[in-house]
Amino acid sequence: MGGKRKNGVPGYSSCGVVSLLSWNINSMVSCGNLKIDDPITLELLNKHDIICLQEVRTEAPIPNYAGFFSLRNSQRSGGVAILIKRNIVEGFSVIHNANPDIFIGKLCHKFFGFDKDIFIINVYARPENASGTSILSGEDTIQEVEDLVCELKSDSSILLCGDFNARIGSDSGQSMEHANDFIPLPPDYQPDMYSQRFSQDVFRNNHGKLSCEFIKNNQLIIL
């Protein structure tokens, strides 16, 4: 993720590129110890300007990073966080959202020198077979994410990351020019530059189907 640097943005890397890592950390704590205290883990994290974590369960500080956490009340599962290096945190702002498994942050185009703002949407969607009813289902979370994308994409770029517990098989999330996924296509629809996806996991679950539908609806690209 990057853009040409403009006017010598203070604190911004000279190459004009922001590096981002997305990782389901499956709890910040393991066997009573913080995972980030492991030197190998910390070395990996420090290579990135922005870190999007899923299933954090609890807050834990990382040196040189400003941490923004969204936690469930129980803290036994779920929760997401965005960590951003302190030398660029001035260009980052948090967008309020009530769902603890969705965290939205904005990168200001003026600070980073991008053509337009970039919204980072960090998501954890509950598995299809998850128990309990006090938290939104994964399907509801995916629908809420689509609503957010529709709301934010008009004059900004969207970077969507996280763990959707979605298996999409070989679906690329793209529509070919004469595809019949959506009939009739709107007159202003621009066909995707179709790129076939090859995956050893050929299974698709319901989360995967829902995710691919909203990716096609909004002409997003799976990286």
Side-chain angles (χ1 to χ4, degrees):
M1 177 174 64
K4 291 185 178 180
R5 185 180 179 184
K6 298 178 181 178
N7 301 324
V9 177
Y12 191 39
S13 62
S14 58
C15 61
V17 173
V18 176
S19 172
L20 183 144
L21 170 70
S22 178
W23 178 23
N24 184 328
I25 196 170
N26 192 23
S27 180
M28 299 288 282
V29 179
S30 177
C31 299
N33 299 311
L34 288 174
K35 290 183 178 179
I36 58 174
D37 286 341
D38 173 59
I40 297 177
T41 300
L42 194 57
E43 181 182 3
L44 170 65
L45 297 178
N46 279 327
K47 293 179 179 179
H48 302 279
D49 300 303
I50 301 172
I51 305 166
C52 295
L53 299 176
Q54 302 86 42
E55 288 203 273
V56 292
R57 303 186 188 176
T58 187
E59 293 189 19
I62 297 181
N64 303 318
Y65 286 86
F68 303 90
F69 290 79
S70 176
L71 305 176
R72 294 179 182 173
N73 291 332
S74 67
Q75 297 189 2
R76 290 182 296 178
S77 62
V80 289
I82 295 181
L83 310 174
I84 183 165
K85 283 191 173 176
R86 294 189 181 279
N87 66 328
I88 58 172
V89 71
E90 181 183 341
F92 177 82
S93 57
V94 175
I95 308 301
H96 175 72
N97 175 68
N99 188 333
D101 288 334
I102 300 175
F103 195 98
I104 310 166
K106 184 177 78 170
L107 302 181
C108 175
H109 72 283
K110 292 182 179 179
F111 181 89
F112 289 99
F114 300 146
D115 293 331
K116 49 187 176 180
D117 294 336
I118 297 178
F119 285 96
I120 301 173
I121 305 177
N122 186 21
V123 181
Y124 176 71
R126 297 175 71 204
E128 294 179 12
N129 59 352
S131 61
T133 58
S134 60
I135 303 171
L136 283 178
S137 68
E139 290 86 350
D140 289 336
T141 296
I142 292 171
Q143 180 59 60
E144 185 174 340
V145 170
E146 179 168 14
D147 294 341
L148 287 168
V149 169
C150 292
E151 177 185 345
L152 298 173
K153 71 176 184 177
S154 60
D155 56 357
S156 304
S157 295
I158 302 293
L159 179 59
L160 187 60
C161 61
D163 183 355
F164 286 75
N165 279 297
R167 298 174 65 182
I168 63 174
S170 296
D171 196 328
S172 67
Q174 297 173 308
S175 293
M176 291 181 287
E177 185 171 0
H178 301 294
N180 60 359
D181 299 43
F182 303 97
I183 300 293
L185 290 172
D188 60 346
Y189 185 86
Q190 296 295 321
D192 297 312
M193 297 292 292
Y194 185 77
S195 176
Q196 189 172 358
R197 182 175 184 271
F198 298 95
S199 173
Q200 294 186 6
D201 181 7
V202 298
F203 182 76
R204 287 207 312 167
N205 63 5
N206 190 49
H207 279 25
K209 294 174 184 177
L210 290 173
S211 298
C212 284
E213 283 176 7
F214 95 71
I215 286 169
K216 290 178 182 179
N217 283 341
N218 296 280
Q219 293 194 283
L220 302 178
I221 298 173
I222 299 175
L223 299 179

